[in-house]
Amino acid sequence: MTLITETVPAVRHTDFAASPIAHPAMLWLISAVVVCGAWEIAGHYPISPAFPPFSDTMGALFAMILDGSLPRALLITLKPLSIGLIVSVFLGVGLGVLMGLNRFAEWLGSPLFIIAQSAPLAALIPILTFAYGIGLTSKILTVCIMAMPVIVLNSLTAVRHTPASLVEMGQSFLGSRWQLILKIILPAASPVIFAGLRLGCAAGFIGVILAELLITPTGIGDIITYNQSIAEYENMYAAIFAIIVFSVVFIMLLERLEAVMFRPEKRAIS
Amino acid sequence: MTAAAAAKNQPTPRSMVEVRHISKTYPGGVEALNDISIDFAEGQLTSLLGPSGCGKTTLLKIIAGLIPASSGEVMVDGRVVTGPGPERAFVFQDFALMPWANVMRNVAFGLELKGVARSEREAVAEKYIASVGLKGFEKAYPHELSGGMRQRAGLARALAVNAKVLLMDEPFSAVDEQTRRKFQEDLLELIARERKTFLFVTHSIEEAVYVSDRIIILSHRPSQVSSIVEPAIVRGGGPDRIRRDPAYLDTVESIWQSLKRYLD
Ligand SMILES: Nc1ncnc2c1ncn2[C@@H]1O[C@H](COP(=O)(O)OP(=O)(O)OP(=O)(O)O)[C@@H](O)[C@H]1O
Ligand SMILES: [Mg+2]
């Protein structure tokens, strides 16, 4: 009896998983349609004159892509963003892993990043401007202070939680310290490190837009402020939409990169 | 013990592993081992049997060189142990397979760490994968294997480095009873085939009697040797013959009697 009652839901589950509705791409599409539909309705209903419907926003988006203003703005925004993210990713993972491997480094570094993670960092932007001017440096630093703490702290935790028996296994087969780090600790830590990278990079996107709104309007930030001031809200929302899409695509690519670099078994699952 | 007396008459093989006055107190103050001295004979399978938490894993890890003893020393093949060595290989209770590596890479990992060239180490790994019955699963990842298959992979990895001493910490405790019996038979075959020294930790009295040349019974923590049993069982008559052998049953019973007093 128990056998039968246990197998029935299992069968149903596989049926559901096999149906096209459960396919990940399909789920994505459905949720996108629901969100955009709600947006369209809310825009027509009008919630506020400053909230254009989805269709108008898309119209403005394509217009700005075609006349080249959006791609140009994106390129400008990309500069502090990419420099900031590259620095945050490499320095952040490096510092986090070091702190995970070395108690002294942790003692030295972790209080700073724990404070940085919980502090409202946007409040630091005026100080950055004061110290480094209104140029590229301040914007890069804004990206870094937004992105780094979570990257560092996740890398630290990830390394600290390497399964002890895997490390003992490596030691028992006479692995050198470097071999243990490269072949065991880093691959074991990579899921949590990459979770930190995803959160950190998303925060970096927020950082660059903040910097472009608060320091000097350039790139996407310029499109947002300018169109807000002249009440061209479709353009403003189109710019925001573009940066969100860009950010989501970037973070999905990051996920793919993890599977390729460190965790081949994840490709086998999906 | 009659079984022990019977074995005394045979010439004793030389000691491969000598544990000399080992004590271990963990940093927290837990005294796991107290002045333990044991010899493990070359080419034999010696089991460590004792109540849970008595320090069996601790002793095995000290012999493996993975954790330091508080005092005393361990000699393996005549040399004092200061850390892990190429003459010892460990089989882990939780398998310790790398989830991101397939069976082939996991089994060849000991050789990979030694710097053996890829084609060479994969040839060796392939042989041992086949010998533990995992042929066809070289490309599978650990999450695609059953518990028993994972332990086979862990065993193949330890065999692939061709160590003289195999340290096995409850290798069969995470598999079901049928698989376990199959493993025990495979293990006996393995012992006959590979002239290696096996140190085997187990919870199961039957298993210890079935596979061991010698059983060391440890007392409560802090552990000391409580008694040593040498099951005088004639192997080769097949598993069913052994399990019905009166000597087998008597040994199981006498060990149970001596372990019972550690239960509270
Ligand atoms: N890293 C550690 N730090 C502190 N105490 C420990 C540590 N590892 C083990 N102990 C303690 O040492 C004692 C012996 O542990 P050990 O794991 O060697 O026992 P065991 O005989 O293998 O037990 P089991 O049969 O349950 O596996 C236990 O009381 C345990 O609490
Ligand atoms: Mg144990």
Side-chain angles (χ1 to χ4, degrees):
Chain A
M1 266 331 275
T2 37
L3 240 175
I4 293 168
T5 45
E6 270 169 13
T7 40
V8 169
V11 169
R12 283 213 191 113
H13 182 77
T14 30
D15 277 348
F16 176 73
S19 81
I21 292 180
H23 192 274
M26 196 65 190
L27 288 175
W28 259 90
L29 198 68
I30 293 172
S31 93
V33 166
V34 168
V35 170
C36 298
W39 181 355
E40 184 70 24
I41 294 166
H44 282 294
Y45 179 64
I47 294 185
S48 144
F51 189 73
F54 177 67
S55 51
D56 292 1
T57 307
M58 287 302 109
L61 181 68
F62 285 111
M64 282 199 298
I65 291 173
L66 289 180
D67 74 6
S69 59
L70 189 65
R72 237 176 294 130
L74 210 54
L75 274 182
I76 294 171
T77 302
L78 217 54
K79 197 170 173 192
L81 178 66
S82 53
I83 297 174
L85 284 186
I86 288 171
V87 171
S88 308
V89 166
F90 286 96
L91 198 63
V93 172
L95 280 176
V97 168
L98 183 70
M99 281 157 56
L101 294 172
N102 183 313
R103 293 274 167 184
F104 178 69
E106 184 192 2
W107 176 83
L108 209 61
S110 75
L112 177 68
F113 290 102
I114 290 171
I115 292 169
Q117 196 185 28
S118 42
L121 291 172
L124 289 179
I125 293 177
I127 303 174
L128 284 179
T129 333
F130 183 71
Y132 299 100
I134 54 169
L136 190 61
T137 320
S138 292
K139 289 178 184 163
I140 293 173
L141 283 176
T142 311
V143 174
C144 290
I145 59 173
M146 292 294 287
M148 276 247 274
V150 67
I151 295 179
V152 171
L153 293 177
N154 264 49
S155 305
L156 164 64
T157 325
V159 168
R160 232 351 103 63
H161 287 90
T162 313
S165 73
L166 283 186
V167 175
E168 283 184 339
M169 184 274 290
Q171 287 171 337
S172 79
F173 287 113
L174 302 169
S176 66
R177 183 83 179 129
W178 271 112
Q179 283 179 317
L180 294 191
I181 293 172
L182 292 177
K183 291 175 190 280
I184 295 176
I185 296 175
L186 285 184
S190 85
V192 179
I193 291 181
F194 271 83
L197 285 181
R198 286 194 292 274
L199 293 173
C201 289
F205 273 79
I206 297 172
V208 79
I209 299 301
L210 268 181
E212 288 189 331
L213 293 175
L214 296 178
I215 300 175
T216 41
T218 49
I220 298 287
D222 183 33
I223 297 189
I224 295 174
T225 15
Y226 175 71
N227 286 296
Q228 189 189 21
S229 67
I230 60 167
E232 292 272 3
Y233 293 114
E234 300 84 18
N235 287 352
M236 180 181 122
Y237 277 93
I240 296 172
F241 184 83
I243 193 75
I244 291 175
V245 168
F246 191 73
S247 156
V248 168
V249 168
F250 180 81
I251 283 163
M252 278 163 59
L253 285 179
L254 210 56
E255 225 160 306
R256 192 62 54 85
L257 182 73
E258 184 202 354
V260 172
M261 272 175 61
F262 289 110
R263 307 297 291 229
E265 91 278 9
K266 290 204 175 151
R267 273 179 299 172
I269 294 173
S270 57
Chain B
M1 216 137 283
T2 48
K8 284 266 162 56
N9 301 332
Q10 297 161 8
T12 35
R14 105 189 157 97
S15 298
M16 188 65 178
V17 177
E18 295 164 55
V19 173
R20 295 270 167 271
H21 305 291
I22 288 285
S23 299
K24 175 71 184 177
T25 308
Y26 277 106
V30 178
E31 202 183 359
L33 302 170
N34 181 16
D35 194 19
I36 245 184
S37 296
I38 311 173
D39 282 354
F40 296 91
E42 183 175 19
Q44 289 197 346
L45 189 148
T46 310
S47 289
L48 290 168
L49 198 62
S52 185
C54 75
K56 303 182 292 292
T57 300
T58 304
L59 180 59
L60 213 59
K61 283 190 176 166
I62 289 173
I63 295 172
L66 290 171
I67 53 176
S70 306
S71 65
E73 63 178 16
V74 174
M75 312 260 285
V76 174
D77 205 7
R79 276 187 299 275
V80 176
V81 165
T82 51
E87 73 289 347
R88 283 158 287 154
F90 207 97
V91 180
F92 291 84
Q93 179 172 4
D94 65 353
F95 321 134
L97 296 177
M98 301 176 292
W100 57 87
N102 60 23
V103 169
M104 175 57 90
R105 177 149 186 241
N106 266 301
V107 172
F109 194 64
L111 299 170
E112 182 180 335
L113 291 182
K114 268 191 191 168
V116 177
R118 189 185 179 125
S119 57
E120 199 179 322
R121 66 175 189 252
E122 294 200 336
V124 175
E126 206 177 306
K127 181 180 135 206
Y128 284 102
I129 289 171
S131 85
V132 298
L134 279 180
K135 204 174 176 63
F137 288 92
E138 289 87 351
K139 294 276 168 288
Y141 288 94
H143 70 86
E144 298 166 313
L145 304 178
S146 70
M149 291 159 88
R150 285 179 212 180
Q151 193 51 285
R152 284 168 192 274
L155 187 61
R157 178 179 59 196
L159 291 173
V161 292
N162 198 20
K164 292 180 188 161
V165 181
L166 267 103
L167 307 165
M168 310 172 92
D169 188 8
E170 296 186 37
F172 306 153
S173 66
V175 302
D176 61 85
E177 187 56 33
Q178 288 97 307
T179 314
R180 195 185 176 106
R181 290 205 170 196
K182 177 80 177 70
F183 269 8
Q184 292 165 359
E185 273 146 41
D186 291 353
L187 184 64
L188 287 177
E189 224 172 84
L190 191 77
I191 298 166
R193 195 157 17 113
E194 315 249 350
R195 294 292 302 161
K196 291 183 192 301
T197 307
F198 290 83
L199 272 62
F200 187 87
V201 170
T202 178
H203 265 138
S204 158
I205 300 172
E206 284 83 1
E207 179 168 282
V209 177
Y210 186 61
V211 299
S212 316
D213 299 304
R214 206 148 155 265
I215 301 168
I216 294 175
I217 298 166
L218 298 174
S219 69
H220 251 326
R221 186 170 59 80
S223 260
Q224 286 179 317
V225 178
S226 158
S227 58
I228 296 177
V229 177
E230 304 199 356
I233 292 167
V234 192
R235 300 219 157 76
D240 297 328
R241 276 275 288 284
I242 299 178
R243 287 204 164 90
R244 260 182 259 125
D245 183 348
Y248 166 84
L249 297 170
D250 287 350
T251 318
V252 169
E253 182 58 24
S254 77
I255 293 176
W256 166 233
Q257 290 306 332
S258 67
L259 271 177
K260 217 154 71 171
R261 64 196 145 111
Y262 297 122
L263 298 173
D264 32 17

PDB file of all heavy atoms in Angstrom, chain A residues 151-165:
ATOM      1  N   ILE A 151      30.988  40.553  -2.326  1.00  0.00           N
ATOM      2  CA  ILE A 151      31.902  39.632  -3.022  1.00  0.00           C
ATOM      3  C   ILE A 151      32.956  39.114  -2.049  1.00  0.00           C
ATOM      4  O   ILE A 151      33.213  37.911  -1.953  1.00  0.00           O
ATOM      5  CB  ILE A 151      32.571  40.336  -4.224  1.00  0.00           C
ATOM      6  CG1 ILE A 151      31.518  40.697  -5.276  1.00  0.00           C
ATOM      7  CG2 ILE A 151      33.657  39.460  -4.836  1.00  0.00           C
ATOM      8  CD1 ILE A 151      32.072  41.423  -6.488  1.00  0.00           C
ATOM      9  N   VAL A 152      33.531  40.025  -1.285  1.00  0.00           N
ATOM     10  CA  VAL A 152      34.572  39.635  -0.326  1.00  0.00           C
ATOM     11  C   VAL A 152      33.997  38.693   0.733  1.00  0.00           C
ATOM     12  O   VAL A 152      34.551  37.620   0.998  1.00  0.00           O
ATOM     13  CB  VAL A 152      35.158  40.890   0.363  1.00  0.00           C
ATOM     14  CG1 VAL A 152      36.078  40.488   1.508  1.00  0.00           C
ATOM     15  CG2 VAL A 152      35.912  41.735  -0.640  1.00  0.00           C
ATOM     16  N   LEU A 153      32.876  39.085   1.323  1.00  0.00           N
ATOM     17  CA  LEU A 153      32.343  38.288   2.434  1.00  0.00           C
ATOM     18  C   LEU A 153      31.863  36.914   1.965  1.00  0.00           C
ATOM     19  O   LEU A 153      32.059  35.917   2.657  1.00  0.00           O
ATOM     20  CB  LEU A 153      31.220  39.051   3.147  1.00  0.00           C
ATOM     21  CG  LEU A 153      31.702  40.312   3.874  1.00  0.00           C
ATOM     22  CD1 LEU A 153      30.546  41.061   4.490  1.00  0.00           C
ATOM     23  CD2 LEU A 153      32.747  39.982   4.932  1.00  0.00           C
ATOM     24  N   ASN A 154      31.269  36.855   0.775  1.00  0.00           N
ATOM     25  CA  ASN A 154      30.862  35.543   0.263  1.00  0.00           C
ATOM     26  C   ASN A 154      32.072  34.652  -0.023  1.00  0.00           C
ATOM     27  O   ASN A 154      32.047  33.461   0.283  1.00  0.00           O
ATOM     28  CB  ASN A 154      30.012  35.688  -1.003  1.00  0.00           C
ATOM     29  CG  ASN A 154      28.544  35.651  -0.697  1.00  0.00           C
ATOM     30  OD1 ASN A 154      28.087  36.358   0.191  1.00  0.00           O
ATOM     31  ND2 ASN A 154      27.816  34.809  -1.390  1.00  0.00           N
ATOM     32  N   SER A 155      33.106  35.241  -0.597  1.00  0.00           N
ATOM     33  CA  SER A 155      34.298  34.436  -0.883  1.00  0.00           C
ATOM     34  C   SER A 155      34.902  33.917   0.412  1.00  0.00           C
ATOM     35  O   SER A 155      35.312  32.759   0.495  1.00  0.00           O
ATOM     36  CB  SER A 155      35.344  35.271  -1.630  1.00  0.00           C
ATOM     37  OG  SER A 155      34.783  35.835  -2.782  1.00  0.00           O
ATOM     38  N   LEU A 156      34.925  34.776   1.430  1.00  0.00           N
ATOM     39  CA  LEU A 156      35.453  34.375   2.741  1.00  0.00           C
ATOM     40  C   LEU A 156      34.658  33.197   3.307  1.00  0.00           C
ATOM     41  O   LEU A 156      35.217  32.169   3.687  1.00  0.00           O
ATOM     42  CB  LEU A 156      35.387  35.575   3.685  1.00  0.00           C
ATOM     43  CG  LEU A 156      35.530  35.340   5.185  1.00  0.00           C
ATOM     44  CD1 LEU A 156      36.902  34.802   5.514  1.00  0.00           C
ATOM     45  CD2 LEU A 156      35.297  36.629   5.958  1.00  0.00           C
ATOM     46  N   THR A 157      33.338  33.335   3.333  1.00  0.00           N
ATOM     47  CA  THR A 157      32.496  32.258   3.876  1.00  0.00           C
ATOM     48  C   THR A 157      32.657  30.980   3.056  1.00  0.00           C
ATOM     49  O   THR A 157      32.727  29.881   3.607  1.00  0.00           O
ATOM     50  CB  THR A 157      31.008  32.650   3.804  1.00  0.00           C
ATOM     51  OG1 THR A 157      30.903  34.042   4.038  1.00  0.00           O
ATOM     52  CG2 THR A 157      30.192  31.899   4.814  1.00  0.00           C
ATOM     53  N   ALA A 158      32.704  31.156   1.738  1.00  0.00           N
ATOM     54  CA  ALA A 158      32.790  29.985   0.865  1.00  0.00           C
ATOM     55  C   ALA A 158      34.051  29.182   1.161  1.00  0.00           C
ATOM     56  O   ALA A 158      34.009  27.963   1.305  1.00  0.00           O
ATOM     57  CB  ALA A 158      32.788  30.426  -0.593  1.00  0.00           C
ATOM     58  N   VAL A 159      35.158  29.874   1.278  1.00  0.00           N
ATOM     59  CA  VAL A 159      36.423  29.186   1.525  1.00  0.00           C
ATOM     60  C   VAL A 159      36.408  28.536   2.911  1.00  0.00           C
ATOM     61  O   VAL A 159      36.837  27.402   3.084  1.00  0.00           O
ATOM     62  CB  VAL A 159      37.600  30.170   1.395  1.00  0.00           C
ATOM     63  CG1 VAL A 159      38.882  29.566   1.929  1.00  0.00           C
ATOM     64  CG2 VAL A 159      37.776  30.564  -0.058  1.00  0.00           C
ATOM     65  N   ARG A 160      35.858  29.264   3.874  1.00  0.00           N
ATOM     66  CA  ARG A 160      35.794  28.734   5.235  1.00  0.00           C
ATOM     67  C   ARG A 160      34.966  27.456   5.302  1.00  0.00           C
ATOM     68  O   ARG A 160      35.191  26.598   6.135  1.00  0.00           O
ATOM     69  CB  ARG A 160      35.126  29.773   6.115  1.00  0.00           C
ATOM     70  CG  ARG A 160      35.727  30.261   7.387  1.00  0.00           C
ATOM     71  CD  ARG A 160      36.892  29.610   7.909  1.00  0.00           C
ATOM     72  NE  ARG A 160      38.120  30.340   7.700  1.00  0.00           N
ATOM     73  CZ  ARG A 160      38.380  31.533   8.206  1.00  0.00           C
ATOM     74  NH1 ARG A 160      37.531  32.135   8.979  1.00  0.00           N
ATOM     75  NH2 ARG A 160      39.508  32.128   7.962  1.00  0.00           N
ATOM     76  N   HIS A 161      33.995  27.314   4.429  1.00  0.00           N
ATOM     77  CA  HIS A 161      33.109  26.157   4.520  1.00  0.00           C
ATOM     78  C   HIS A 161      33.455  25.027   3.557  1.00  0.00           C
ATOM     79  O   HIS A 161      32.617  24.200   3.259  1.00  0.00           O
ATOM     80  CB  HIS A 161      31.649  26.594   4.328  1.00  0.00           C
ATOM     81  CG  HIS A 161      31.134  27.327   5.515  1.00  0.00           C
ATOM     82  ND1 HIS A 161      31.228  28.689   5.650  1.00  0.00           N
ATOM     83  CD2 HIS A 161      30.565  26.889   6.654  1.00  0.00           C
ATOM     84  CE1 HIS A 161      30.725  29.057   6.812  1.00  0.00           C
ATOM     85  NE2 HIS A 161      30.320  27.980   7.442  1.00  0.00           N
ATOM     86  N   THR A 162      34.685  25.000   3.085  1.00  0.00           N
ATOM     87  CA  THR A 162      35.110  23.853   2.276  1.00  0.00           C
ATOM     88  C   THR A 162      34.944  22.593   3.126  1.00  0.00           C
ATOM     89  O   THR A 162      35.388  22.568   4.264  1.00  0.00           O
ATOM     90  CB  THR A 162      36.604  23.983   1.902  1.00  0.00           C
ATOM     91  OG1 THR A 162      36.833  25.287   1.425  1.00  0.00           O
ATOM     92  CG2 THR A 162      36.979  22.951   0.863  1.00  0.00           C
ATOM     93  N   PRO A 163      34.293  21.543   2.597  1.00  0.00           N
ATOM     94  CA  PRO A 163      34.131  20.324   3.384  1.00  0.00           C
ATOM     95  C   PRO A 163      35.472  19.819   3.902  1.00  0.00           C
ATOM     96  O   PRO A 163      36.416  19.649   3.139  1.00  0.00           O
ATOM     97  CB  PRO A 163      33.531  19.330   2.387  1.00  0.00           C
ATOM     98  CG  PRO A 163      32.873  20.168   1.357  1.00  0.00           C
ATOM     99  CD  PRO A 163      33.655  21.449   1.285  1.00  0.00           C
ATOM    100  N   ALA A 164      35.552  19.624   5.220  1.00  0.00           N
ATOM    101  CA  ALA A 164      36.827  19.242   5.835  1.00  0.00           C
ATOM    102  C   ALA A 164      37.350  17.935   5.245  1.00  0.00           C
ATOM    103  O   ALA A 164      38.549  17.776   5.060  1.00  0.00           O
ATOM    104  CB  ALA A 164      36.654  19.116   7.344  1.00  0.00           C
ATOM    105  N   SER A 165      36.432  17.016   4.913  1.00  0.00           N
ATOM    106  CA  SER A 165      36.930  15.721   4.456  1.00  0.00           C
ATOM    107  C   SER A 165      37.568  15.823   3.073  1.00  0.00           C
ATOM    108  O   SER A 165      38.478  15.069   2.754  1.00  0.00           O
ATOM    109  CB  SER A 165      35.825  14.667   4.482  1.00  0.00           C
ATOM    110  OG  SER A 165      34.924  14.889   3.444  1.00  0.00           O
TER     111      SER A 165
END
